[in-house]
Amino acid sequence: MKKAIVSGSAGFVGSKLVQVLLENNVEVLALGRKSWGDVDPSRLSENNNLTYLKIDMSESKLLSEKINELGWSLGDDCVFFNFAWWGIDKVSDSNLKAQMNNAIWAGDALMAVSKLKCNRFIHVGTMEEPIGKAYLDLDYKNDSEFNRHIVYALAKIASRNVIKILAKKYDIDTIIATNSHVMGPNDGKDSFLQETLIKLKNKEEELIFSTGEQLFDVISVSDCAEAYFLIGKNGIPGSEYKIGSGEARSLKKYVEIMAEMYPSGKKLQFGKFIYNDISIKMKDFSIDLLREHTGFEPRKSYEETVKELYQTL
């Protein structure tokens, strides 16, 4: 991999991947909907091997033309990383039109990449997809499960299927990668564990949780970016990889470790919040295929990841 195009390059994981690519002497074309002057410099900053192109996801079908106008050459070894995903109110919002548009735009991006003759297209899924698939089998008349991420998950499932079909039609080497929960500094999302850590730091009274029995997995943002880099470099076309720590455990355990590291003196009230949803199974977190194909191994423990995040809050 000599060159890479990264959509969603100013996002939490996308920007970290850009940094990893640059550190490995890969020339990067970063795509984003913001003007360069509005991009957080802690995420993307000037670099001789970095070119930035302002483009909205709705313009994805025009990508090849815009890149040609820019004069950026793909060379003979270029990988496209498709991180871009837009939401009106955070990524996991329940706006159906906004979320389904993402699936359409992902397909547009792949077709644009086929015109550019890019070697490989890597599409980013979500760990909520297994839950979304289980929702499709529910009896809506009798079942009452609910998850605030479900519309987002269903749109991601739709995008995954669109990518698979178009990849075959346009004969593009495609890989779909799905990361578990990513944690680290400079995350702008209101993730559950980050919000819990803030509450512990501020010694807030209300530490209310579900029973926490559902399985969960956390990976540091640096490890996650490294995994995507290795997939771009060594991944096998047609594969679908899970990216994670390789040590999924109960959500309760993650909270307890966090509270042991930074005790607030307040009681952890497990079971006070009613949890009514489908749980992901252990097999849904397996990174065995990723290890086998790319040699990936996580470097940071959960404790190290929490400590790094705590110091920046």
Side-chain angles (χ1 to χ4, degrees):
M1 176 171 44
K2 297 176 182 177
K3 295 192 175 186
I5 303 173
V6 182
S7 72
S9 64
F12 180 45
V13 180
S15 62
K16 194 66 177 179
L17 172 61
V18 170
Q19 293 172 23
V20 172
L21 290 165
L22 293 173
E23 289 167 2
N24 284 274
N25 300 313
V26 177
E27 189 176 339
V28 179
L29 175 61
L31 311 180
R33 60 187 177 87
K34 295 181 179 180
S35 298
W36 177 251
D38 294 327
V39 174
D40 184 347
S42 68
R43 289 190 171 182
L44 293 182
S45 57
E46 297 285 350
N47 186 291
N48 290 336
N49 280 335
L50 176 65
T51 302
Y52 184 81
L53 174 62
K54 180 181 181 298
I55 181 171
D56 191 87
M57 285 182 68
S58 61
E59 302 174 292
S60 292
K61 63 177 60 177
L62 303 175
L63 180 59
S64 58
E65 287 82 354
K66 287 184 175 289
I67 290 178
N68 289 332
E69 290 173 4
L70 187 65
W72 195 80
S73 171
L74 277 73
D76 59 358
D77 186 10
C78 184
V79 177
F80 188 100
F81 294 89
N82 190 41
F83 279 89
W85 197 271
W86 184 76
I88 292 174
D89 181 22
K90 303 292 183 183
V91 149
S92 59
D93 69 33
S94 57
N95 185 295
L96 181 60
K97 183 177 180 180
Q99 291 300 307
M100 288 304 177
N101 275 339
N102 286 303
I104 296 170
W105 295 334
D108 287 343
L110 185 140
M111 289 186 285
V113 167
S114 71
K115 293 181 184 178
L116 291 165
K117 306 300 181 184
C118 209
N119 299 61
R120 176 172 293 185
F121 186 93
I122 297 174
H123 182 62
V124 178
T126 175
M127 282 306 299
E128 276 84 19
E129 287 178 67
I131 294 177
K133 290 177 181 177
Y135 264 76
L136 296 176
D137 294 328
L138 293 178
D139 180 351
Y140 74 94
K141 295 179 181 178
N142 299 312
D143 297 319
S144 60
E145 287 82 357
F146 177 75
N147 184 320
R148 71 186 180 102
H149 303 285
I150 191 59
V151 173
Y152 164 65
L154 293 175
K156 277 289 189 178
I157 291 171
S159 70
R160 178 183 294 255
N161 292 331
V162 165
I163 292 302
K164 287 180 179 179
I165 292 169
L166 293 179
K168 184 175 182 179
K169 178 179 179 180
Y170 291 96
D171 192 26
I172 300 175
D173 286 348
T174 300
I175 294 171
I176 299 177
T178 302
N179 53 264
S180 57
H181 180 71
V182 184
M183 181 181 284
N186 204 24
D187 182 5
K189 297 190 292 294
D190 57 342
S191 65
F192 166 74
L193 287 177
Q194 179 166 296
E195 291 300 307
T196 298
L197 188 57
I198 291 172
K199 289 179 179 179
L200 290 170
K201 185 172 186 178
N202 295 338
K203 301 188 183 302
E204 294 184 21
E205 293 285 348
E206 291 295 303
L207 295 175
I208 298 173
F209 311 99
S210 68
T211 59
E213 296 172 356
Q214 61 268 39
L215 288 174
F216 203 68
D217 189 26
V218 175
I219 184 171
S220 73
V221 66
S222 55
D223 279 345
C224 186
E226 179 69 16
Y228 277 108
F229 168 71
L230 291 174
I231 289 170
K233 183 180 178 182
N234 302 323
I236 296 177
S239 299
E240 298 183 31
Y241 298 114
K242 304 287 177 58
I243 300 173
S245 71
E247 299 180 349
R249 50 192 131 177
S250 70
L251 185 59
K252 180 179 182 180
K253 185 62 178 176
Y254 282 108
V255 173
E256 287 176 337
I257 292 172
M258 192 180 278
E260 288 171 7
M261 292 176 65
Y262 301 105
S264 67
K266 311 298 180 183
K267 182 181 178 181
L268 302 179
Q269 302 180 60
F270 289 106
K272 193 170 181 179
F273 176 79
I274 302 300
Y275 177 76
N276 180 34
D277 198 15
I278 296 166
S279 295
I280 298 177
K281 297 179 172 60
M282 186 63 77
K283 66 179 178 62
D284 294 317
F285 296 102
S286 174
I287 64 171
D288 289 347
L289 190 65
L290 178 65
R291 281 173 162 147
E292 178 186 343
H293 288 183
T294 71
F296 170 74
E297 282 296 335
R299 298 177 183 177
K300 283 188 178 178
S301 68
Y302 173 64
E303 288 82 357
E304 291 170 327
T305 303
V306 170
K307 182 178 179 180
E308 183 181 38
L309 175 57
Y310 186 87
Q311 292 171 344
T312 63
L313 293 177

